[in-house]
Amino acid sequence: MKLGVLLQYWDTRNDVRRLVDELSRSHEVVLLAQERDRKFLQDSPYQVRYVGERGWFWRRVWRYLFLLFGHIPRSERNYYIDEYFKTESQPFSQKLRMRAFLALSRRLPKWFSFDALAWRLAPLARVDMGGLEAVLMITEICDPATLGLVLRQGKKTAAYVYSWDHAPKHKRMSRKLDWYFTWSAAVGEDLTELQGVPPSRIRPVGSTQLVYVDDYLKDAPARRRQIAYDYVYYGCATGSPKFVRQEVKLMLWLAGALREVAPELKLLVRPYPFLTDWSLYAPLRGMANVAFDDAYFKDATNRSLTPAMIVEKFNHLEHARAFVHLGTTLGFECAYFDTPMLFLAPEDFDFGLVRNDPMHLLNFFGQYHLEKYLRLTRYSNVVTKRAALRAALEAAVQSPRSMLAYNEEIRAVTPLRTMPEIVESITGCLESTRGKPPIYPHHVHA
């Protein structure tokens, strides 16, 4: 089978590159990439075809209409938090314009589907689809024009839901694909509940991101302890300056509590990798019991972690006396180790912002995927009140096994699978899918 793979963020997604390598063992792979990734693909062993759109007027018209009136997931909070987060790195004038659009969008009816956008942009698509029998997209679907062209041509279509938080926060989700492949049955339920994808088109195949956890657990030499001193590990969860300032307040509070509970332990902080201004962490550097795990970033030549950096991350998780966070994929990964975890989500904490600010961390805590998968308040691992932190820290440090039921429930949702197993499930579905006639305009509903 000649398979096109439509992707984005080629430089950061180690596991997607590994997925492509595994797919190429049994199929001819053609990469469908965006122009901004050209510099990362110049030495690619695969055939690369670049996607794009012709013209500018209608492209802008349809995209702005979709921005204002486009369907969004039923988890509105996740969607708008993510959209506000994206504006943080934009130039000031562009940020103001996009936030004005977002504010207007919240008040307008949602009648324009992503499939309708894809259909209307299809005539503007600039990509060679010749010879491709199927197209696998990695969510969120980055190029609606290419999707529209693929649907018009009647090729086999599928999307791999790359992360556990994509169904609640992205609006570029098609209901016309043959298959959606997910981490687990639970993520499939999210697609149906939040995005309206029919359950019959969803197949749990496993997590490519968690393949590295599986590899690490099977590698005894890699699991030998790397850090000599005892520590509580903290994984930063936010990359927006407005969020980071609030997260730093939480970390200062945590460091103070740890000094009282276990003064012999360090709080080892892993900064958020894609934060551009690490000076925001400066208030922590004056704390005697705080150290930084930032060598992985200082030694990096690009935004992608090397295999050695990934092993180091898991080693630091496994050998920590406890792992603390406020909502990050590290919290999902740590569940596969017997390291007690604490999820900080204090509702009575003073973050220094008015409660209705869209960038208030309380909004972050309440996101759909965190509520469902990590913020399991029936466990004492989840700290929702300031007064509960000390007892939770003491339990994690002094009686760790009493805190592990939380880990067990999280990891039971997504059993670990190898990359060959994931690829076998994906290609098996695509190979069994029969060809279909092209989709005509009256099949696409706004």
Side-chain angles (χ1 to χ4, degrees):
M1 179 170 59
K2 193 168 186 176
L3 175 65
V5 180
L6 178 65
L7 49 80
Q8 60 180 345
Y9 307 128
W10 181 258
D11 59 324
T12 61
R13 293 183 169 181
N14 307 60
D15 54 316
V16 172
R17 297 196 297 273
R18 189 168 164 184
L19 172 68
V20 169
D21 289 341
E22 190 64 36
L23 285 166
S24 71
R25 295 179 187 274
S26 53
H27 300 281
E28 182 180 354
V29 171
V30 176
L31 302 182
L32 305 175
Q34 295 178 298
E35 281 291 340
R36 66 185 181 190
D37 286 329
R38 185 180 287 271
K39 60 181 176 292
F40 305 115
L41 295 166
Q42 291 182 1
D43 299 322
S44 173
Y46 306 106
Q47 180 185 351
V48 183
R49 301 178 187 177
Y50 291 95
V51 304
E53 297 172 1
R54 302 180 188 89
W56 64 273
F57 178 76
W58 284 110
R59 177 181 61 182
R60 288 190 178 182
V61 168
W62 292 124
R63 285 179 178 272
Y64 274 117
L65 284 174
F66 185 65
L67 175 62
L68 292 172
F69 301 101
H71 291 174
I72 65 174
R74 292 191 179 96
S75 47
E76 292 186 22
R77 176 185 292 182
N78 279 60
Y79 169 73
Y80 283 110
I81 285 177
D82 191 57
E83 292 301 307
Y84 274 103
F85 172 79
K86 290 175 184 176
T87 66
E88 281 290 297
S89 59
Q90 296 174 343
F92 182 72
S93 60
Q94 186 178 354
K95 180 193 295 189
L96 287 181
R97 184 172 70 253
M98 292 308 298
R99 289 198 169 181
F101 271 107
L102 286 173
L104 182 58
S105 169
R106 298 186 85 145
R107 294 167 172 78
L108 293 175
K110 300 293 179 277
W111 49 263
F112 196 11
S113 73
F114 181 60
D115 289 306
L117 172 69
W119 179 262
R120 285 159 176 79
L121 291 177
L124 307 179
R126 191 180 69 248
V127 60
D128 176 15
M129 303 299 296
L132 298 183
E133 300 169 59
V135 175
L136 174 66
M137 302 163 221
I138 311 297
T139 62
E140 69 176 320
I141 299 172
C142 63
D143 193 77
T146 298
L147 169 64
L149 184 62
V150 170
L151 292 176
R152 285 185 181 225
Q153 293 179 353
K155 298 182 185 296
K156 301 176 184 179
T157 55
Y160 178 63
V161 182
Y162 169 74
S163 187
W164 58 301
D165 62 352
H166 280 193
K169 76 180 185 182
H170 289 318
K171 65 189 292 189
R172 293 185 174 194
M173 296 281 193
S174 171
R175 298 179 187 177
K176 301 297 180 182
L177 304 184
D178 294 310
W179 292 104
Y180 265 102
F181 302 119
T182 64
W183 281 28
S184 63
V187 174
E189 293 166 0
D190 298 341
L191 277 178
T192 298
E193 180 180 347
L194 305 178
Q195 300 282 353
V197 177
S200 60
R201 299 186 183 185
I202 299 170
R203 177 65 60 87
V205 298
S207 167
T208 57
Q209 292 186 59
L210 297 177
V211 162
Y212 294 100
V213 176
D214 187 60
D215 291 343
Y216 174 81
L217 290 173
K218 295 172 181 174
D219 187 348
R223 298 181 68 177
R224 294 182 188 132
R225 185 182 181 118
Q226 295 181 359
I227 297 178
Y229 59 84
D230 284 342
Y231 58 94
V232 168
Y233 203 29
Y234 183 91
C236 294
T238 66
S240 158
K242 204 165 187 177
F243 275 151
V244 173
R245 291 185 184 96
Q246 297 171 78
E247 190 171 14
V248 166
K249 288 178 179 288
L250 274 183
M251 286 188 277
L252 290 169
W253 170 53
L254 173 63
L258 181 62
R259 185 174 57 244
E260 295 175 4
V261 169
E264 74 281 7
L265 300 182
K266 288 279 190 182
L267 179 64
L268 184 61
V269 175
R270 181 182 178 87
Y272 190 76
F274 303 138
L275 178 65
T276 55
D277 182 11
W278 280 23
S279 68
L280 294 169
Y281 296 126
L284 289 160
R285 296 188 184 274
M287 300 285 287
N289 68 331
V290 174
F292 276 80
D293 179 23
D294 53 8
Y296 76 97
F297 180 82
K298 292 177 180 177
D299 297 338
T301 57
N302 55 46
R303 299 197 306 165
S304 179
L305 295 181
T306 65
M309 291 174 182
I310 294 171
V311 166
E312 182 181 74
K313 175 182 71 172
F314 292 147
N315 190 279
H316 295 178
L317 283 173
E318 181 179 20
H319 294 286
R321 295 288 295 276
F323 175 65
V324 187
H325 69 107
L326 53 83
T328 167
T329 300
L330 276 171
F332 218 116
E333 292 170 332
C334 190
Y336 295 87
F337 304 110
D338 288 337
T339 301
M341 286 197 294
L342 300 184
F343 185 114
L344 295 189
E347 298 165 354
D348 56 352
F349 191 85
D350 180 9
F351 292 97
L353 291 179
V354 294
R355 181 66 181 266
N356 62 353
D357 191 305
M359 299 295 285
H360 198 293
L361 268 186
L362 286 178
N363 292 323
F364 183 91
F365 298 148
Q367 293 179 91
Y368 174 95
H369 63 289
L370 296 182
E371 292 276 3
K372 179 172 180 177
Y373 296 104
L374 296 180
R375 194 170 180 262
L376 311 179
T377 54
R378 57 188 172 277
Y379 292 100
S380 59
N381 304 65
V382 180
V383 178
T384 59
K385 300 295 182 184
R386 287 175 56 91
L389 176 61
R390 184 182 178 113
L393 267 178
E394 286 177 344
V397 171
Q398 297 171 11
S399 54
R401 298 207 64 81
S402 68
M403 306 289 281
L404 295 183
Y406 175 74
N407 297 44
E408 292 165 2
E409 179 164 339
I410 292 170
R411 66 185 179 227
V413 172
T414 309
L416 298 177
R417 300 193 75 193
T418 66
M419 193 66 78
E421 290 171 336
I422 292 171
V423 166
E424 183 179 1
S425 296
I426 289 174
T427 56
C429 287
L430 286 174
E431 288 170 344
S432 66
T433 302
R434 304 182 65 178
K436 56 186 181 296
I439 294 180
Y440 295 98
H442 62 274
H443 291 144
V444 182
H445 302 286

